Amino acid sequence: MQVSMKIGYYIKKLALRDDERIGALLDRLRSAGVGLYAIETSADVREQTSLVLSFGGDGTFLSAAHRVAEAGVPVMGVNFGRMGFLSDNRAEDVADAILSGCYEVEERDVLHVSCEGACPENFWPYAINEVALHRIGAEMLGVDVNVSGAELPTYWADGVLVATSTGSTAYSLSAGGPICLPDSQVRLITPIAPHNLNLRPMAVPIDAPVRMSARARCGKALLSLDNRSYALPCGEAITIGKAPFTLKRASLGKPNFIEALRSRFFWGQDVRNSTE
């Protein structure tokens, strides 16, 4: 049966471009009449594209999502990485599921960053996992944070990050932040290596604007949005709000986040929890 469908695909690592499993998957789709094309930049995304396949790990998935999220095209991660929280589908399962329409699409919140001063060059103001202010020099940062007009005590730390529920299992988790279910309507504020022992991570409503600015003797800090970084002068504030679009994530079957925690992080692994 011939299928009329247009699908893009994104491969970040050159070593994967000759992988036989990817070749077999793409050949299967082509033989069914699917129009396939490669994506390098957001300008490559064609109209009426049904889906974009991301071949790699979670970092590759984020890179693919940065290119297509504004266009509203769902991204399906085909896992050739390690953790596979966002990119969790096996290559051998994908082609038949796509051709039969047996996949789910969920929507994830995206962060938007606005700059008080001039934005850095080539600045794309959206993040799927987190936005962070980091120290550049050897000294710690003072980070002033305001939530919905209310000033928080200054964080003295290596930095502060603001994460989505999607990003709760990424950088925020490494910094001691809580784990949230992906559909939780919250934003996480997590200090990075804090020197204030009495300032802890906190969750705020997804619609609450968060304003941050940094203080450091070197006069600048590092602003990061997912896997992209920019220099930011100290004292120049950024405001983190909700993007006008969501990330559409496609997966085979309804995602089971709790099972993903168990299988990837060995969450709750304890001899007393064994069923054997």
Side-chain angles (χ1 to χ4, degrees):
M1 180 180 70
Q2 294 293 303
V3 177
S4 177
M5 183 183 284
K6 189 185 299 181
I7 293 179
Y9 63 90
Y10 177 75
I11 303 175
K12 187 175 183 179
K13 292 185 178 180
L14 294 177
L16 283 178
R17 296 188 178 182
D18 296 324
D19 191 289
E20 293 181 357
R21 293 166 294 173
I22 295 177
L25 192 165
L26 297 179
D27 286 345
R28 173 78 176 91
L29 293 175
R30 285 192 189 96
S31 66
V34 174
L36 293 171
Y37 68 97
I39 289 174
E40 295 289 343
T41 70
S42 57
D44 297 328
V45 182
R46 301 176 186 175
E47 292 184 3
Q48 299 181 333
T49 297
S50 302
L51 191 67
V52 165
L53 299 175
S54 165
F55 293 106
D58 287 348
T60 300
F61 182 96
L62 286 176
S63 294
H66 294 161
R67 287 156 172 77
V68 306
E70 281 188 275
V73 179
V75 183
M76 179 180 288
V78 185
N79 191 23
F80 287 85
R82 291 173 296 217
M83 295 302 290
F85 262 100
L86 293 170
S87 185
D88 61 347
N89 305 292
R90 301 191 311 164
E92 56 267 36
D93 299 332
V94 168
D96 288 341
I98 290 175
L99 296 175
S100 61
C102 295
Y103 61 91
E104 304 277 340
V105 176
E106 59 175 339
E107 297 192 30
R108 300 283 186 95
D109 289 311
V110 177
L111 299 175
H112 173 263
V113 176
S114 57
C115 301
E116 190 173 83
C119 287
E121 189 177 353
N122 300 320
F123 185 66
W124 191 65
Y126 301 107
I128 293 160
N129 273 350
E130 73 277 316
V131 175
L133 283 179
H134 309 257
R135 67 183 176 94
I136 290 180
E139 73 275 9
M140 71 180 71
L141 283 183
V143 183
D144 296 312
V145 182
N146 180 300
V147 180
S148 295
E151 293 287 345
L152 303 185
T154 299
Y155 289 87
W156 295 98
D158 281 359
V160 173
L161 64 86
V162 178
T164 61
S165 53
T166 298
S168 74
T169 52
Y171 194 177
S172 180
L173 177 69
S174 300
I179 294 174
C180 298
L181 296 178
D183 57 355
S184 301
Q185 295 295 296
V186 296
R187 195 173 294 161
L188 305 176
I189 301 174
T190 306
I192 305 163
H195 203 255
N196 316 61
L197 297 183
N198 56 351
L199 271 180
R200 309 307 305 156
M202 66 184 301
V204 301
I206 188 67
D207 293 322
V210 178
R211 185 178 182 272
M212 295 200 301
S213 62
R215 314 180 204 169
R217 287 195 296 271
C218 68
K220 57 185 176 181
L222 195 68
L223 168 63
S224 70
L225 292 82
D226 291 341
N227 50 13
R228 311 177 316 280
S229 296
Y230 313 89
L232 186 76
C234 282
E236 186 170 302
I238 61 168
T239 298
I240 304 163
K242 192 173 179 181
F245 59 88
T246 58
L247 165 65
K248 294 178 172 59
R249 176 179 174 266
S251 60
L252 308 185
K254 189 171 180 61
N256 188 329
F257 182 72
I258 301 300
E259 182 54 38
L261 290 176
R262 290 192 178 113
S263 62
R264 283 128 173 111
F265 285 150
F266 305 104
W267 191 48
Q269 185 167 302
D270 188 304
V271 294
R272 294 165 296 182
N273 294 339
S274 175
T275 57
E276 297 180 359

